[in-house]
Each structure stands twice: as structure tokens, then as C-alpha cells.
Amino acid sequence: MDWRIFRAIYDVSLDHHWVGTVFSDIEKASIPFMVIATVALWLLARPGGERKWKLAAVSGLASAAVALAGNLVLHTIWDRPRPYESHAIRHPWSTSTDASFPSDHASASFAIAFAILAFDATVGAVFLVAALVIAVGRVFVGAHYPGDVLVSLLVGLAAAFVVVRIARPLVAALAGIVERLTDPVLRPLWRRRPGLSRSGR
């Protein structure tokens, strides 16, 4: 079943080469984008103000780390070959030979998205859409089976739960340490410029 679904999806990329190329470009930028966007939440949090986005940023990055650690364990349990290693198919967009199950890209992305979703529904939804695009893209470029990315969703959800629900005091303490370093640097950037405090004057 996993192979048949994979083949149906991957055939779209083979029949319409531009689809695979687009997803390949997305995949190359996926993890840097998710990390930068997560760090941006911290930078956009007003120093001394509400800590929601700071906690979301730290939780997101920590959840990604937990998800990747979990994947290492799963890789040792089942070193599943990539689709193009087990089947005679063309694979112009992927050449990795590490374990296919589950997807590191998808697991980290879902972990970040679910962690942020726990703090901010709107921003978290945007991150979740990005994670879904990344996960689906892993199949379109031929790097993973659909089952790999489905399990990655569960891994990401579990990692976010552990960080947000169980390790929250540790996350809050870590955020406190980091903000003591960043707030003095960011605070001047939030000060209003002279003459802009009142409109029309």
C-alpha cells in the first residue's frame, strides 16, 4: 500500500518535471526556513513584554531537537531503505542513503509547528501549513514513502508534547537565560523615534 501510494504521487513529479523541481527547491530551503522563522518569533517579541513568542521559539527549537533524537532511535530499529534503493525508479531529486523511516525534515518541521501552535494558534497554523508542504514534498521528490512522513507527524507531535507539557519549566528557565542576553540588545530597536510618538506632528 505504501509503495502504491508513493508511486502514484511520485509519478506526478516524473510526468510533470517542474513539480519535482519546485518541491526540490522547497526541500533545500525547508529546514533553514523553519529555523529562521522560529528565531524570528523571538526577535519579534518585545523585550520586557509578553513572553508567548519567546516561549514558542524556544519550545519549537527544543521540540525539533527531541524529534531528531527520537528519529535516531527509530532509525536503529528499522533502517528502511529509500524508495529508490528498493525499487527501480528514477530519482533525480534525491540521492540520500540514510534511513527512510521516518523523515528528519518532516519530523523537525512538525515538531516546531506543533510546539508553536501550543502558544499561538494563528502563527502555529502558518507553521503547520509550512510543515505539511515540506512533508508532502518529501514524497514528491522521491525521498520518502507516505508512511514515513505520516509517522514523522506523530514523532513531531510527541516531541512537542514532551517539550511543551512536560519540560515547560525547563523551557521557561532557558528562555529567561537567553532573554537576559538578548533583551538589552533588542530593547533600543523597539524604542520609538523622536517625532513619531504622535501622529500628525
Side-chain angles (χ1 to χ4, degrees):
M1 175 66 75
D2 212 12
W3 161 247
R4 289 199 294 270
I5 297 175
F6 166 84
R7 190 57 191 264
I9 295 173
Y10 189 57
D11 278 350
V12 174
S13 294
L14 293 180
D15 294 338
H16 306 280
H17 201 271
W18 66 270
V19 174
T21 300
V22 168
F23 275 110
S24 178
D25 292 339
I26 291 174
E27 297 305 306
K28 291 174 184 176
S30 60
I31 297 304
F33 168 79
M34 293 296 285
V35 171
I36 292 173
T38 303
V39 172
L41 286 180
W42 180 282
L43 299 178
L44 291 173
R46 189 183 187 93
E50 189 177 9
R51 303 180 74 213
K52 177 175 67 175
W53 281 1
K54 290 181 178 179
L55 294 174
V58 175
S59 297
L61 296 178
S63 296
V66 171
L68 292 176
N71 277 6
L72 288 176
V73 176
L74 293 174
H75 290 167
T76 62
I77 296 173
W78 186 17
D79 187 9
R80 187 183 197 182
R82 299 279 180 159
Y84 43 78
E85 293 181 297
S86 300
H87 304 275
I89 60 174
R90 289 177 289 156
H91 52 97
W93 298 286
S94 180
T95 57
S96 297
T97 56
D98 57 333
S100 181
F101 175 90
S103 165
D104 287 341
H105 283 73
S107 294
S109 299
F110 279 126
I112 290 172
F114 283 127
I116 293 174
L117 189 66
F119 291 91
D120 191 308
T122 301
V123 176
V126 174
F127 273 80
L128 188 56
V129 169
L132 286 169
V133 171
I134 292 168
V136 171
R138 300 306 289 165
V139 182
F140 272 101
V141 300
H144 293 281
Y145 294 98
D148 298 338
V149 297
L150 180 59
V151 171
S152 293
L153 184 151
L154 300 178
V155 170
L157 181 60
F161 177 84
V162 169
V163 171
V164 174
R165 298 300 181 188
I166 300 177
R168 188 158 184 162
L170 180 61
V171 169
L174 180 59
I177 293 173
V178 177
E179 70 183 352
R180 283 198 291 271
L181 299 174
T182 61
D183 279 8
V185 177
L186 296 175
R187 187 170 288 111
L189 302 178
W190 281 91
R191 292 173 181 167
R192 292 182 178 181
R193 294 180 180 179
L196 295 181
S197 58
R198 297 180 184 178
S199 59
R201 298 183 62 180

